[in-house]
Amino acid sequence: DTFQQHTSSHTVLDIHIAGRILCHLEPCGPVEVDQAVKAAKSAFGHWSKMSGMERARTMIEAAHIIESRREEIAEMEVVNNGKSITEARLDVDSARLCIEYYAGLASTLAGQHVQLPGGSFAYTRREPLGVCVGIGAWNYPFQIAAWKSAPALACGNSMVFKPSPVTPVTAVMLAEIYAKAGAPEGLLNVVQGGQETGSLLCHHPDVAKLSFTGSVPTGQKIMEMASKGVKPVTLELGGKSPLLIFQDSDLENAVRGALMANFLSQGQVCSNGTRVFVQRDILPEFVEEVVKRTQAIEIGDPLLESTRMGALVSRSHLDKVLSFVDQAKKEGATVMCGGEPFVPSDPKLRGGYYMTPCVLSNCTDEMTCVKEEIFGPVMSVLSFETEEEVLQRANDTTLGLAAGVFTRDVRRAHRVVEHLKAGSCFINNYNITPVEVPFGGFKMSGIGRENGQVTIEYYTQLKTVFVEMGDVDSLF
């Protein structure tokens, strides 16, 4: 639960917990950004010449260190972001698994050999890009730093990473861990700051690639800045994802899925299935059960084992989410539960940015709460009659990050998923992101993928080599 504060003389990043200042950080200007890129460029020279097996050893060592410091990193992530310790531990695990996974792929980078007439041949080489830039979001600070750096480093690149100015702490811990694991100095550099720092990174002539997680408007700006230097981008942007619940679903699992699709990380998840379409016949039963479970979510001190929902990231963000609930009421949605500021009983947490998780029913497709990404613990429930109708409504959005379907009918499940215009789809579950499979969006939800084997292609470039084994056949 943090935010950025401006002072009259210059910007200072003030990190807050429970509304209290935790630390001050200086944003990086042109000099510091240049130092970071130069250090990464120097590290790249050494790292890119190592074999995949050698790089893998360093990465595996980093993963071991993360495992041994799991609790310490998780606790720091709670302070950094406000999410529950239970979730923070899972984020640390995902970061470690991602590094282990790409360590395993580091030695498999290979090209192709193509035989040509007359004994000539060609081959391809998959080569690293150079200095890559990662720009992180505030909802999964440590995990995103790993998801971006692991494939970059496995491919032989170096990285300069800029965490969100509201969650600056844990990315630094990851950089320290890589260094301790034996990575060359400057291989993963962290620069702190906001928009100006990000802009300096995007425009730096020695940066080869940009990978960004965050909002659509910022993603558009980054793409525009990258175009000046014709730099490739990976963009993991927002979503307003549909979750389709058919009447033949296992209702218990559908309810659990809807909760997982809306309330992880205080609802601050880009892939959340916030438009929950429920077939009319099971709607009353579904809403009743979802409301009962939502009201039972334990809110409070995120460092307590029993807590299931911590604090939102900042005062301004909390106010924004609450205003979406007010707007929904004005537009005719029914607040079934929650959607109000919450004051924990612990006096130390009185200033924290808490709210009660909210379920909205009687929603229609034209409502603001159904059209715009809220990025908070607010579930909008809509009813539908037929498969054809719900597919048309589910796809009626400029975004396409994720989508889910609950049904016992295996043919319907695959048929529906085929027609859903989204990059990450779920059948009979939601928000499951194993590092072995690619994650990313269609349409305005982004470009490129994170995780899985395919991400290797986004952190390398292909060189084709033609080898002549005979004489040159000249036309001149």
mmCIF file of all heavy atoms in Angstrom, residues 12 34 46 51 79 105 111 121 145 179 182 186 196 207 231 238-239 252 266 280 305 317 346 366 381 444 454 457 469:
data_model
loop_
_atom_site.group_PDB
_atom_site.id
_atom_site.type_symbol
_atom_site.label_atom_id
_atom_site.label_comp_id
_atom_site.label_asym_id
_atom_site.label_seq_id
_atom_site.Cartn_x
_atom_site.Cartn_y
_atom_site.Cartn_z
ATOM 1 N N VAL A 12 10.559 12.724 -4.898
ATOM 2 C CA VAL A 12 11.076 11.678 -4.021
ATOM 3 C C VAL A 12 10.029 10.572 -4.020
ATOM 4 O O VAL A 12 8.832 10.843 -3.965
ATOM 5 C CB VAL A 12 11.278 12.199 -2.577
ATOM 6 C CG1 VAL A 12 11.743 11.078 -1.664
ATOM 7 C CG2 VAL A 12 12.295 13.320 -2.550
ATOM 8 N N ASP A 34 22.005 5.983 -17.758
ATOM 9 C CA ASP A 34 23.136 5.694 -18.651
ATOM 10 C C ASP A 34 24.147 4.762 -17.978
ATOM 11 O O ASP A 34 24.670 3.837 -18.607
ATOM 12 C CB ASP A 34 23.807 7.005 -19.075
ATOM 13 C CG ASP A 34 24.734 6.803 -20.268
ATOM 14 O OD1 ASP A 34 24.287 6.183 -21.257
ATOM 15 O OD2 ASP A 34 25.897 7.247 -20.200
ATOM 16 N N HIS A 46 30.363 -10.410 -21.490
ATOM 17 C CA HIS A 46 30.866 -11.636 -20.858
ATOM 18 C C HIS A 46 29.796 -12.739 -20.868
ATOM 19 O O HIS A 46 30.048 -13.882 -21.259
ATOM 20 C CB HIS A 46 31.290 -11.302 -19.420
ATOM 21 C CG HIS A 46 31.694 -12.501 -18.617
ATOM 22 N ND1 HIS A 46 32.756 -13.301 -18.963
ATOM 23 C CD2 HIS A 46 31.150 -13.048 -17.496
ATOM 24 C CE1 HIS A 46 32.857 -14.294 -18.079
ATOM 25 N NE2 HIS A 46 31.889 -14.155 -17.187
ATOM 26 N N SER A 51 28.452 -20.496 -22.358
ATOM 27 C CA SER A 51 27.549 -21.517 -22.913
ATOM 28 C C SER A 51 26.238 -21.499 -22.129
ATOM 29 O O SER A 51 26.180 -21.001 -20.991
ATOM 30 C CB SER A 51 28.182 -22.906 -22.805
ATOM 31 O OG SER A 51 28.178 -23.326 -21.445
ATOM 32 N N VAL A 79 4.985 -6.011 2.527
ATOM 33 C CA VAL A 79 5.225 -4.614 2.892
ATOM 34 C C VAL A 79 5.263 -3.741 1.628
ATOM 35 O O VAL A 79 4.756 -2.628 1.596
ATOM 36 C CB VAL A 79 6.555 -4.496 3.680
ATOM 37 C CG1 VAL A 79 6.944 -3.045 3.901
ATOM 38 C CG2 VAL A 79 6.434 -5.229 5.016
ATOM 39 N N LEU A 105 16.079 -24.323 -20.111
ATOM 40 C CA LEU A 105 16.025 -24.064 -21.553
ATOM 41 C C LEU A 105 17.301 -23.420 -22.097
ATOM 42 O O LEU A 105 17.532 -23.426 -23.301
ATOM 43 C CB LEU A 105 14.837 -23.145 -21.881
ATOM 44 C CG LEU A 105 13.438 -23.757 -21.857
ATOM 45 C CD1 LEU A 105 12.402 -22.728 -22.275
ATOM 46 C CD2 LEU A 105 13.350 -24.972 -22.783
ATOM 47 N N GLY A 111 19.726 -23.686 -33.635
ATOM 48 C CA GLY A 111 19.226 -23.254 -34.928
ATOM 49 C C GLY A 111 18.840 -24.455 -35.772
ATOM 50 O O GLY A 111 18.630 -25.563 -35.272
ATOM 51 N N PHE A 121 24.855 -25.497 -48.149
ATOM 52 C CA PHE A 121 23.886 -25.596 -47.044
ATOM 53 C C PHE A 121 23.726 -24.231 -46.373
ATOM 54 O O PHE A 121 24.501 -23.309 -46.625
ATOM 55 C CB PHE A 121 24.302 -26.662 -46.021
ATOM 56 C CG PHE A 121 25.615 -26.396 -45.338
ATOM 57 C CD1 PHE A 121 25.658 -25.746 -44.099
ATOM 58 C CD2 PHE A 121 26.819 -26.802 -45.919
ATOM 59 C CE1 PHE A 121 26.869 -25.508 -43.462
ATOM 60 C CE2 PHE A 121 28.033 -26.556 -45.287
ATOM 61 C CZ PHE A 121 28.058 -25.908 -44.059
ATOM 62 N N ALA A 145 9.528 -9.237 -12.046
ATOM 63 C CA ALA A 145 10.979 -9.043 -12.237
ATOM 64 C C ALA A 145 11.645 -10.356 -12.660
ATOM 65 O O ALA A 145 12.548 -10.365 -13.504
ATOM 66 C CB ALA A 145 11.617 -8.505 -10.960
ATOM 67 N N ALA A 179 23.410 -11.466 -8.334
ATOM 68 C CA ALA A 179 24.821 -11.118 -8.107
ATOM 69 C C ALA A 179 25.477 -12.138 -7.174
ATOM 70 O O ALA A 179 26.580 -12.617 -7.437
ATOM 71 C CB ALA A 179 24.922 -9.710 -7.529
ATOM 72 N N GLY A 182 26.531 -15.400 -8.629
ATOM 73 C CA GLY A 182 27.717 -15.423 -9.486
ATOM 74 C C GLY A 182 27.540 -14.763 -10.838
ATOM 75 O O GLY A 182 28.403 -14.890 -11.710
ATOM 76 N N GLY A 186 26.362 -6.106 -12.963
ATOM 77 C CA GLY A 186 25.539 -5.313 -13.883
ATOM 78 C C GLY A 186 24.639 -6.140 -14.785
ATOM 79 O O GLY A 186 23.963 -5.593 -15.655
ATOM 80 N N GLU A 196 9.410 9.503 -16.236
ATOM 81 C CA GLU A 196 10.610 10.094 -16.857
ATOM 82 C C GLU A 196 11.723 9.061 -16.990
ATOM 83 O O GLU A 196 12.384 8.977 -18.025
ATOM 84 C CB GLU A 196 11.114 11.282 -16.029
ATOM 85 C CG GLU A 196 10.301 12.549 -16.221
ATOM 86 C CD GLU A 196 10.693 13.634 -15.223
ATOM 87 O OE1 GLU A 196 11.906 13.933 -15.126
ATOM 88 O OE2 GLU A 196 9.797 14.162 -14.535
ATOM 89 N N VAL A 207 19.791 0.230 -25.792
ATOM 90 C CA VAL A 207 18.766 -0.739 -25.381
ATOM 91 C C VAL A 207 18.218 -1.441 -26.623
ATOM 92 O O VAL A 207 17.845 -0.796 -27.604
ATOM 93 C CB VAL A 207 17.624 -0.038 -24.591
ATOM 94 C CG1 VAL A 207 16.416 -0.947 -24.444
ATOM 95 C CG2 VAL A 207 18.148 0.387 -23.218
ATOM 96 N N LYS A 231 12.767 -0.748 -31.962
ATOM 97 C CA LYS A 231 13.091 -1.764 -30.961
ATOM 98 C C LYS A 231 11.871 -2.682 -30.778
ATOM 99 O O LYS A 231 10.745 -2.192 -30.694
ATOM 100 C CB LYS A 231 13.410 -1.125 -29.610
ATOM 101 C CG LYS A 231 14.573 -0.143 -29.620
ATOM 102 C CD LYS A 231 14.789 0.414 -28.220
ATOM 103 C CE LYS A 231 15.546 1.728 -28.192
ATOM 104 N NZ LYS A 231 16.927 1.648 -28.598
ATOM 105 N N GLY A 238 -3.697 -4.483 -20.013
ATOM 106 C CA GLY A 238 -4.889 -4.717 -19.202
ATOM 107 C C GLY A 238 -5.831 -5.759 -19.766
ATOM 108 O O GLY A 238 -5.627 -6.308 -20.838
ATOM 109 N N GLY A 239 -6.895 -6.016 -19.021
ATOM 110 C CA GLY A 239 -7.917 -6.958 -19.460
ATOM 111 C C GLY A 239 -9.273 -6.600 -18.871
ATOM 112 O O GLY A 239 -9.363 -5.868 -17.885
ATOM 113 N N GLU A 252 -19.955 -25.851 -7.261
ATOM 114 C CA GLU A 252 -18.933 -25.605 -6.229
ATOM 115 C C GLU A 252 -17.639 -25.105 -6.872
ATOM 116 O O GLU A 252 -17.049 -24.110 -6.440
ATOM 117 C CB GLU A 252 -18.688 -26.888 -5.436
ATOM 118 C CG GLU A 252 -17.480 -26.865 -4.509
ATOM 119 C CD GLU A 252 -17.571 -25.857 -3.362
ATOM 120 O OE1 GLU A 252 -18.697 -25.411 -3.024
ATOM 121 O OE2 GLU A 252 -16.515 -25.507 -2.806
ATOM 122 N N GLN A 266 -6.125 -8.635 -3.955
ATOM 123 C CA GLN A 266 -7.111 -7.554 -3.764
ATOM 124 C C GLN A 266 -7.792 -7.165 -5.077
ATOM 125 O O GLN A 266 -8.187 -6.019 -5.266
ATOM 126 C CB GLN A 266 -6.493 -6.302 -3.121
ATOM 127 C CG GLN A 266 -5.946 -6.512 -1.726
ATOM 128 C CD GLN A 266 -4.599 -7.194 -1.748
ATOM 129 O OE1 GLN A 266 -4.474 -8.358 -1.395
ATOM 130 N NE2 GLN A 266 -3.577 -6.482 -2.151
ATOM 131 N N ARG A 280 -28.866 -18.297 -17.009
ATOM 132 C CA ARG A 280 -29.985 -17.801 -16.196
ATOM 133 C C ARG A 280 -30.499 -18.796 -15.153
ATOM 134 O O ARG A 280 -30.767 -18.432 -14.015
ATOM 135 C CB ARG A 280 -31.141 -17.352 -17.100
ATOM 136 C CG ARG A 280 -32.196 -16.550 -16.346
ATOM 137 C CD ARG A 280 -33.322 -16.075 -17.239
ATOM 138 N NE ARG A 280 -32.900 -15.173 -18.317
ATOM 139 C CZ ARG A 280 -32.582 -13.896 -18.129
ATOM 140 N NH1 ARG A 280 -32.625 -13.355 -16.931
ATOM 141 N NH2 ARG A 280 -32.224 -13.143 -19.148
ATOM 142 N N GLU A 305 -1.339 -15.206 8.971
ATOM 143 C CA GLU A 305 -1.646 -16.406 8.178
ATOM 144 C C GLU A 305 -3.127 -16.482 7.805
ATOM 145 O O GLU A 305 -3.491 -16.996 6.762
ATOM 146 C CB GLU A 305 -1.275 -17.678 8.964
ATOM 147 C CG GLU A 305 0.206 -17.826 9.262
ATOM 148 C CD GLU A 305 1.050 -18.143 8.033
ATOM 149 O OE1 GLU A 305 0.509 -18.659 7.039
ATOM 150 O OE2 GLU A 305 2.259 -17.845 8.066
ATOM 151 N N HIS A 317 -5.606 4.819 -5.459
ATOM 152 C CA HIS A 317 -6.171 3.661 -6.163
ATOM 153 C C HIS A 317 -7.429 3.150 -5.442
ATOM 154 O O HIS A 317 -8.422 2.808 -6.092
ATOM 155 C CB HIS A 317 -5.134 2.542 -6.299
ATOM 156 C CG HIS A 317 -5.618 1.404 -7.154
ATOM 157 N ND1 HIS A 317 -5.929 1.571 -8.492
ATOM 158 C CD2 HIS A 317 -5.907 0.116 -6.864
ATOM 159 C CE1 HIS A 317 -6.363 0.422 -8.987
ATOM 160 N NE2 HIS A 317 -6.359 -0.466 -8.012
ATOM 161 N N ASP A 346 -7.097 -3.643 14.265
ATOM 162 C CA ASP A 346 -5.751 -3.318 14.758
ATOM 163 C C ASP A 346 -5.490 -1.815 14.566
ATOM 164 O O ASP A 346 -5.482 -1.318 13.440
ATOM 165 C CB ASP A 346 -4.723 -4.142 13.972
ATOM 166 C CG ASP A 346 -3.295 -3.935 14.457
ATOM 167 O OD1 ASP A 346 -3.042 -2.926 15.160
ATOM 168 O OD2 ASP A 346 -2.431 -4.763 14.126
ATOM 169 N N GLU A 366 -23.602 -2.519 -21.000
ATOM 170 C CA GLU A 366 -23.271 -1.112 -21.236
ATOM 171 C C GLU A 366 -22.764 -0.388 -19.992
ATOM 172 O O GLU A 366 -22.334 0.756 -20.073
ATOM 173 C CB GLU A 366 -24.502 -0.365 -21.793
ATOM 174 C CG GLU A 366 -24.958 -0.870 -23.163
ATOM 175 C CD GLU A 366 -23.799 -1.057 -24.143
ATOM 176 O OE1 GLU A 366 -23.011 -0.099 -24.324
ATOM 177 O OE2 GLU A 366 -23.657 -2.160 -24.704
ATOM 178 N N VAL A 381 -21.612 -9.521 -12.132
ATOM 179 C CA VAL A 381 -22.305 -10.746 -12.552
ATOM 180 C C VAL A 381 -23.382 -10.389 -13.575
ATOM 181 O O VAL A 381 -24.210 -9.503 -13.345
ATOM 182 C CB VAL A 381 -22.931 -11.475 -11.341
ATOM 183 C CG1 VAL A 381 -23.630 -12.763 -11.779
ATOM 184 C CG2 VAL A 381 -21.855 -11.791 -10.293
ATOM 185 N N MET A 444 -5.940 -5.441 -27.774
ATOM 186 C CA MET A 444 -5.207 -4.376 -27.071
ATOM 187 C C MET A 444 -4.630 -4.826 -25.725
ATOM 188 O O MET A 444 -4.078 -4.017 -24.985
ATOM 189 C CB MET A 444 -6.102 -3.149 -26.888
ATOM 190 C CG MET A 444 -6.319 -2.405 -28.196
ATOM 191 S SD MET A 444 -7.343 -0.946 -28.036
ATOM 192 C CE MET A 444 -6.133 0.244 -27.467
ATOM 193 N N VAL A 454 8.079 -20.531 -26.088
ATOM 194 C CA VAL A 454 7.980 -19.532 -27.160
ATOM 195 C C VAL A 454 8.641 -18.209 -26.787
ATOM 196 O O VAL A 454 9.107 -17.471 -27.657
ATOM 197 C CB VAL A 454 6.492 -19.307 -27.553
ATOM 198 C CG1 VAL A 454 5.731 -18.543 -26.472
ATOM 199 C CG2 VAL A 454 6.378 -18.568 -28.875
ATOM 200 N N GLU A 457 11.873 -16.938 -28.262
ATOM 201 C CA GLU A 457 11.872 -16.230 -29.547
ATOM 202 C C GLU A 457 11.786 -14.716 -29.369
ATOM 203 O O GLU A 457 12.203 -13.957 -30.239
ATOM 204 C CB GLU A 457 10.708 -16.721 -30.420
ATOM 205 C CG GLU A 457 10.870 -18.162 -30.849
ATOM 206 C CD GLU A 457 9.673 -18.685 -31.634
ATOM 207 O OE1 GLU A 457 8.930 -17.857 -32.203
ATOM 208 O OE2 GLU A 457 9.500 -19.915 -31.668
ATOM 209 N N MET A 469 29.398 -24.301 -51.279
ATOM 210 C CA MET A 469 30.407 -25.377 -51.349
ATOM 211 C C MET A 469 30.972 -25.538 -52.757
ATOM 212 O O MET A 469 31.841 -26.360 -52.976
ATOM 213 C CB MET A 469 29.786 -26.683 -50.882
ATOM 214 C CG MET A 469 29.335 -26.670 -49.420
ATOM 215 S SD MET A 469 30.668 -26.317 -48.260
ATOM 216 C CE MET A 469 31.468 -27.923 -48.197
#
